[in-house]
Amino acid sequence: MKANKFESIVQHNIDNAKEVSACVEKFFNLLGLEPNSEIKNIPQIAGPLFVSKGFVIIHFPLKDKEIGAFCYKNSLHGGYIILNSSLPLNNVNFALCHEICHVCIKEDIGNNNAELYVDDTYLDHENERIANQFAGEILMPEGQIRRMYEKFSAEKPPEPGIGRSTIEDVVCKLMSYFEVPFMAVLIRLRELDIIKYDQDLKRCLDISQEEISAIFEKYWLDQTVLKPSYRDDYSLLKTLLEKIGDNNVRQELMYDNDLSATLKSIEQIYREIREDL
């Protein structure tokens, strides 16, 4: 990420801290949890929230690696959210929290509209920036990230003679601990003024995936968060649609051939967008 864009995002987050904090407070109220509680399983916790809004969460391994999530709201009640399981787990977690903001908190998606979360690009649209900032605060509560930053910064490298831990090392440890993207950690640390804008930070802006993997390997961190799960919920979706369709047929809301044609069309779309594994 370019330095000027990074600092623009950070300044935006600082300027909008009160608005996003109110969104975070609403989120925990909806869950019935204490503010800033640590959440270890976002899909499990968020699932009932989406159900209450009539939304179904679907994991598909998509061909397009730039798409983190796709959300569609229909004209009646609810819709669906597709999460791209071809992306690493940490990206999927962030994408899901991003969509929580749009669907359950801000409710800023209009009927018959779609919202596309483009992975790790931090678009300049106001609603997208707010949703990203919300995701960062949910996944990395201030008190916890401050404590863990101090802990990881004080730890020595595992091999003698290497010297002190670098900022990249610390960010990767936080990335592993909170299961979030590298850039999301960096932005969160900067907006909280935990780190300064200096040469070390500039170096982090250009880090490659290979360098991140090497740091994970150096510290024996669990690399599961760096890998796609390729979870595929199509069979569950198909079963759900068949049940709904059969019920509609019994109520004479649609014909058998319409149901068959619809299911066939959906399967064709699924085959087109799914990554060949």
Side-chain angles (χ1 to χ4, degrees), residues 23 26-27 29-31 45-57 71-81 99-111 134:
C23 292
K26 179 180 178 180
F27 172 72
N29 285 339
L30 289 173
L31 293 177
I45 290 295
L49 284 185
F50 284 112
V51 170
S52 70
K53 299 292 183 179
F55 278 78
V56 177
I57 302 174
C71 178
Y72 177 76
K73 183 177 182 180
N74 63 38
S75 58
L76 299 174
H77 174 68
Y80 56 81
I81 296 168
E99 298 303 340
I100 290 173
C101 186
H102 284 307
V103 173
C104 305
I105 308 300
K106 299 285 285 185
E107 300 183 21
D108 53 14
I109 302 176
N111 291 338
F134 171 86

Side-chain angles (χ1 to χ4, degrees), residues 192-258:
L192 292 173
D193 201 30
I194 296 174
I195 60 175
K196 303 297 182 181
Y197 186 74
D198 55 19
Q199 291 302 317
D200 290 339
L201 188 150
K202 288 182 180 180
R203 190 175 64 247
C204 288
L205 296 179
D206 295 322
I207 195 168
S208 67
Q209 190 60 46
E210 290 73 20
E211 290 172 312
I212 291 173
S213 296
I215 293 172
F216 267 67
E217 184 175 340
K218 179 172 71 173
Y219 287 97
W220 289 33
L221 300 175
D222 184 1
Q223 298 201 35
T224 303
V225 297
L226 303 180
K227 299 176 182 178
S229 69
Y230 297 115
R231 174 175 166 179
D232 192 335
D233 290 340
Y234 178 70
S235 62
L236 296 175
L237 175 64
K238 183 178 179 180
T239 299
L240 175 63
L241 294 176
E242 288 173 343
K243 289 180 179 178
I244 295 174
D246 289 340
N247 185 58
N248 288 340
V249 170
R250 285 195 299 272
Q251 297 184 47
E252 299 184 347
L253 298 175
M254 66 187 307
Y255 297 108
D256 276 320
N257 58 342
D258 292 330

